[in-house]
Amino acid sequence: MVSYKDLGLVNTREMFKRAVAGGYAIPAFNFNTMEQMQAIVQAAVETKSPVIMQVSKGARNYANATILRYMAQGAVEYAKELGCEHPEIVLHLDHGDSFELCKDCIDMGFSSVMIDGSHLPYEENVALAKKVVEYAHQYDVTVEAELGVLAGVEDEVSAAESHYTKPEEVIDFATRTGCDSLAISIGTSHGAYKFTPEQCTRDPKTGLLVPPPLAFDILAEIEQKLPGFPIVLHGSSSVPQEEVATINKFGGKLPDAIGIPEDQLRQASKSAVCKINIDSDSRLAMTAAIRQHLAEHPGDFDPRQYLKPARENMKKMYIHKIVNVLGSDGKLAE
């Protein structure tokens, strides 16, 4: 058994409490590689922001669970080395699909886990989340659960269509499971193709797709039923069109990739939404920089030559999200 506290990590309880009260959201950035981790830590330190580093089941298998534990510990020490005396870094399991996976992550030093039973019948979702909560809370690990289904594809998580969270279920679900935060579905979606062209309108001036608005009426109703309770938005990448354009310019093929407008995410972060998940934007920033570098420097073959600009581009994107979208800059505990 590895305690996350021995690794220097924190759980989400206090940072969420401050975020709800302060009207901002904590960034939850997925990572798969060392470069992504470095960029996340650099951005968090430079902006003095708490941060959630999260990994999916697929990312954990890719990285190896043992290496991941030491990467998380290294992230904390790296933040201190960069001048942050008391970093607030969470290692979080994104979309855990079983009790066994959540337990294994808790035993290996995760400070927060998500159990996603949203695809199950309601009572089975409640029972599974409750089982994870009972185990996690023994070790002061926080648990995120999910009500409602997001469309799109992200690693092993896939759904053809979304099902909005039913506000009338949230009190019963949160009470019976004891979860610490609740992921809801109000129109966000996984992946770089969050909406089909048929779901969107086109801007007559630019020709770009304009996605449908998020269901803020459902969010408001949930907030009314669970005042002050931490709410989470998955699938919240904005899919920056400049990164998509760079990828397409240098040999990529991402037609009609579209995400969640940042003004809507800013609006959400001022509510009880205190954790916003961003994965695809990081992948796009990394891929755009790598494609451009290799196209402009065809003789380069040292990975450091193209991963360095990729890391810088991701860091720039993370800082932008923290400062201009989520508002978590300068929010480290005193």
Side-chain angles (χ1 to χ4, degrees):
M1 178 78 192
V2 178
S3 170
Y4 70 86
K5 294 175 183 177
D6 293 337
L7 305 180
L9 300 165
V10 299
N11 67 25
T12 60
R13 193 170 291 115
E14 290 306 313
M15 62 172 66
F16 281 0
K17 194 181 297 183
R18 299 199 311 266
V20 172
Y24 61 90
I26 307 294
F29 298 130
N30 288 66
F31 78 105
N32 301 271
T33 70
M34 179 186 76
E35 289 77 19
Q36 285 177 307
M37 186 205 77
Q38 289 172 318
I40 291 168
V41 173
Q42 290 169 6
V45 169
E46 288 189 24
T47 59
K48 296 181 171 59
S49 173
V51 71
I52 297 167
M53 300 195 324
Q54 57 186 28
V55 290
S56 63
K57 177 183 177 181
R60 189 168 180 258
N61 291 338
Y62 176 81
N64 175 270
T66 303
I67 290 175
L68 196 59
R69 175 185 36 155
Y70 289 106
M71 285 181 77
Q73 186 174 16
V76 174
E77 295 306 317
Y78 182 39
K80 292 178 181 177
E81 189 179 300
L82 291 174
C84 182
E85 198 173 339
H86 301 291
E88 292 182 60
I89 299 175
V90 174
L91 180 62
H92 175 76
L93 171 67
D94 190 24
H95 288 290
D97 60 0
S98 68
F99 170 79
E100 291 73 22
L101 175 60
C102 290
K103 179 182 182 300
D104 194 42
C105 287
I106 292 164
D107 293 348
M108 288 290 280
F110 278 63
S111 56
S112 175
V113 295
M114 178 203 186
I115 180 64
D116 183 1
S118 60
H119 58 287
L120 298 171
Y122 180 77
E123 288 298 331
E124 291 180 33
N125 190 3
V126 169
L128 179 59
K130 185 173 187 290
K131 186 178 182 182
V132 172
V133 167
E134 287 174 348
Y135 185 78
H137 282 185
Q138 294 178 64
Y139 304 101
D140 200 24
V141 170
T142 41
V143 178
E144 173 187 331
E146 181 166 349
L147 259 183
V149 178
L150 272 69
V153 178
E154 180 185 23
D155 286 359
E156 295 87 358
V157 182
S158 176
E161 58 184 43
S162 63
H163 299 281
Y164 285 171
T165 302
K166 298 175 183 175
E168 63 271 19
E169 292 179 343
V170 295
I171 297 176
D172 178 73
F173 187 87
T175 303
R176 288 171 61 194
T177 63
C179 64
D180 300 284
S181 61
L182 186 63
I184 63 169
S185 174
I186 59 168
T188 55
S189 180
H190 290 130
Y193 296 92
K194 299 191 183 298
F195 307 99
T196 64
E198 292 74 28
Q199 292 173 296
C200 306
T201 56
R202 282 199 185 270
D203 186 320
K205 292 181 182 176
T206 64
L208 296 175
L209 294 175
V210 179
L214 299 180
F216 282 103
D217 54 333
I218 293 177
L219 174 59
E221 199 173 339
I222 290 170
E223 283 186 285
Q224 193 175 26
K225 292 183 181 298
L226 288 176
F229 194 83
I231 300 298
V232 176
L233 284 189
H234 283 245
S236 296
S237 282
S238 301
V239 187
Q241 292 304 298
E242 64 271 20
E243 305 293 5
V244 173
T246 299
I247 290 171
N248 291 338
K249 178 181 177 182
F250 294 104
K253 193 174 182 182
L254 293 174
D256 291 332
I258 189 167
I260 310 298
E262 288 187 340
D263 61 333
Q264 294 193 43
L265 296 175
R266 269 190 289 273
Q267 183 179 342
S269 66
K270 290 177 169 60
S271 68
V273 172
C274 63
K275 172 178 180 270
I276 291 183
N277 290 13
I278 296 167
D279 186 5
S280 294
D281 286 355
S282 174
R283 298 179 183 193
L284 292 166
M286 187 175 202
T287 300
I290 290 172
R291 278 192 173 275
Q292 180 169 353
H293 182 90
L294 290 177
E296 294 175 348
H297 305 86
D300 284 357
F301 63 92
D302 183 340
R304 292 170 297 183
Q305 292 171 312
Y306 52 82
L307 289 175
K308 185 176 180 181
R311 185 175 61 195
E312 287 302 312
N313 205 33
M314 288 188 290
K315 175 185 168 184
K316 183 178 78 172
M317 186 273 295
Y318 294 139
I319 289 175
H320 166 71
K321 297 290 184 182
I322 289 169
V323 175
N324 299 316
V325 182
L326 309 180
S328 64
D329 50 310
K331 300 299 193 300
L332 283 176
E334 294 298 325

